[in-house]
Amino acid sequence: MSDVCSVDLRGKGFRRHTDGTGSVGSVHVGPDGTAVYGAADLGSSKQDFVARNAVLRRLDGPGVALTDAETDHLACAPVIGGDGAVVAAFEVRGDTVVRDLTADRVLLEGHVGVTALAAGGDVVVAVAGTREAYSELFVGRSSETLTQRTDFARHLTGTAAPIETEELDATSGDGYPVHGWLVRPTTKPRRKAGHPVILMIHGGPYAQYSGNLFDEAQVLAGAGYAVVMGNPRGGSGYGAAHGRAVKEAIGTVDVADLTALLDHALTPPGLDGSRLGAMGGSYGGLMTTWLVGHTDRFTAAISERAVNAWDSFAGTSDIGWFFADEYAGAFQHEQSPLTWADRITTPTLVIHSERDFRCPLEQGQRLFARLRKNGVPSKLLVFPGEGHELSRSGQPRHRLQRFEHILDWWAEHLR
């Protein structure tokens, strides 16, 4: 639990602005003195953070919520313009919507993924990825729609031109809708049956994939693999209830959703359902290890920076001891992929980083040791000096080497 407090410049006049019943994650102050904070309700346990969206509130208007705890998940930090307008970006079905909360006006929507906002005077700037670009600047006044003002991706031509994504809408076994995307290679498949397929699973789990330009999917599709990726229950962008569906239920509805999405993607011709790969990082790595421990459907797998065992994770991860309690609760043994590792026969590449403090190296080492002991074709790839964010912000040479090893693994098992 945490509060917003203030003192004057003399260190006097201490005042507590919140009532100690929530967790304050941020405070933002505008040029005109407008102050906004974000606080999440942590439930009766006072530590239940699972899919609990921070609600933005004004300091000068206590009790007045600017956002909704169920539907509004912030994509990045909000900003306050010189005119006092509060502008925020929210994840929605794989995309992002930017809203002026003061005027209740949409400033940017569509196939964009906003990663940062800035404001100066009454001008708002958003950094956003699109279907064709990793990051562009969208600019406008807080009273008007933001428009794209840069074209940094103009050099992406010829063989580097982005491969288009196809939107997928599937139905899970219990009738629940599952949303995702297919990135299909533009080259002719090597075999008559079609392109091999890789199911890619995002981390978090309270995060979302997007149909916008994504280097992981582009590299794989460019190498001749069809990529299926989506947002099963547990992820963000579809409401808090969607995200909380895996609380103490990991390996149930999330697996059902991923399976339904994959089956749906394989329905049209051109994709080879007999050559399937599964890969993911962090929670996606957990899901990958889980899948190959419960089915022989996949030809090969890559489990990266994964949570494989809740028992040791709870004592070593920098995310906090309560993470495992809230996500797996009393079912930490049953919902640990390592519990089912003796069932794995699928060739598996385990990737981890030496200085990963979020999902410590021992999580990958324990899995690899079990696989080798059981005679499963497997490899362990460890990157020295890197952390949990290797694939996103690691050293360029390591990011390149990572892709090379991934492509070598898929070429060995899926070609």
Side-chain angles (χ1 to χ4, degrees):
M1 312 304 292
S2 52
D3 282 305
V4 178
C5 302
S6 64
V7 294
D8 62 27
L9 294 179
R10 299 169 299 171
K12 299 180 179 180
F14 178 85
R15 179 184 175 190
R16 190 170 78 171
H17 297 271
T18 50
D19 60 8
T21 60
S23 175
V24 178
S26 59
V27 179
H28 310 275
V29 181
D32 67 344
T34 298
V36 173
Y37 67 94
D41 175 11
L42 298 185
S44 59
S45 69
K46 305 303 182 186
Q47 62 186 34
D48 180 9
F49 63 93
V50 178
R52 291 186 177 271
N53 296 323
V55 175
L56 295 180
R57 301 177 187 273
R58 287 184 181 271
L59 272 183
D60 58 357
V64 179
L66 299 176
T67 60
D68 183 79
E70 170 59 32
T71 60
D72 294 331
H73 182 230
L74 290 167
C76 60
V79 294
I80 303 173
D83 56 358
V86 180
V87 178
F90 303 95
E91 294 181 348
V92 180
R93 288 179 56 81
D95 291 311
T96 310
V97 175
V98 177
R99 304 197 326 247
D100 178 340
L101 303 179
T102 306
D104 191 22
R105 180 187 296 115
V106 173
L107 303 182
L108 181 63
E109 60 184 341
H111 296 315
V112 293
V114 176
T115 55
L117 291 171
D122 64 345
V123 175
V124 177
V125 180
V127 179
T130 68
R131 290 290 198 263
E132 297 79 30
Y134 290 109
S135 287
E136 301 290 354
L137 294 179
F138 290 75
V139 183
R141 300 188 184 281
S142 58
S143 60
E144 62 187 26
T145 300
L146 307 186
T147 57
Q148 185 174 332
R149 300 295 180 88
T150 60
D151 187 19
F152 297 126
R154 61 184 177 275
H155 65 286
L156 294 180
T157 59
T159 56
I163 299 173
E164 293 183 6
T165 57
E166 304 171 29
E167 197 159 2
L168 301 174
D169 286 293
T171 302
S172 197
D174 60 358
Y176 194 85
V178 189
H179 183 219
W181 297 267
L182 169 66
V183 187
R184 188 192 301 264
T186 57
T187 55
K188 183 179 179 180
R190 296 188 176 189
R191 298 188 189 184
K192 186 177 181 180
H195 295 287
V197 180
I198 297 171
L199 174 65
M200 194 159 57
I201 310 166
H202 69 62
Y206 200 49
Q208 65 170 12
Y209 269 150
S210 168
N212 295 323
L213 195 60
F214 180 33
D215 62 344
E216 301 274 337
Q218 293 290 317
V219 167
L220 293 173
Y225 305 98
V227 179
V228 177
M229 56 184 187
N231 296 320
R233 274 170 280 189
S236 60
Y238 304 79
H242 179 91
R244 290 178 65 81
V246 297
K247 182 175 168 62
E248 300 186 33
I250 292 171
T252 60
V253 293
D254 42 6
V255 170
D257 290 356
L258 289 168
T259 301
L261 188 67
L262 178 60
D263 289 342
H264 178 70
L266 292 172
T267 303
L271 303 183
D272 188 354
S274 68
R275 290 181 295 157
L276 297 178
M279 69 178 295
S282 198
Y283 172 80
L286 179 157
M287 276 284 97
T288 299
T289 311
W290 182 277
L291 285 171
V292 295
H294 289 78
T295 178
D296 294 327
R297 181 180 188 182
F298 295 94
T299 308
I302 299 178
S303 178
E304 185 172 12
R305 58 181 184 275
V307 180
N308 288 311
W310 290 115
D311 56 357
S312 56
F313 177 88
T316 59
S317 172
D318 66 357
I319 204 168
W321 57 269
F322 51 84
F323 190 95
D325 286 346
E326 292 303 326
Y327 259 110
F331 306 100
Q332 294 184 32
H333 179 72
E334 296 91 333
Q335 293 177 13
S336 292
L338 199 67
T339 299
W340 314 99
D342 289 339
R343 298 182 179 184
I344 298 176
T345 59
T346 304
T348 301
L349 169 63
V350 179
I351 301 178
H352 229 99
S353 292
E354 180 185 44
R355 295 179 61 80
D356 188 338
F357 302 131
R358 180 54 45 86
C359 296
L361 177 58
E362 56 89 18
Q363 292 284 315
Q365 291 172 322
R366 292 179 69 185
L367 172 62
F368 177 67
R370 186 74 66 85
L371 295 175
R372 296 292 287 184
K373 179 181 178 181
N374 293 339
V376 178
S378 53
K379 292 181 180 180
L380 174 63
L381 175 63
V382 178
F383 284 91
E386 295 289 0
H388 196 66
E389 298 298 308
L390 163 66
S391 65
R392 294 175 283 266
S393 59
Q395 296 180 51
R397 67 187 179 94
H398 283 161
R399 295 180 67 185
L400 177 60
Q401 289 168 349
R402 171 183 171 274
F403 272 133
E404 291 172 343
H405 282 280
I406 288 173
L407 292 176
D408 286 346
W409 182 260
W410 292 133
E412 177 183 354
H413 294 282
L414 294 185
R415 287 297 190 194

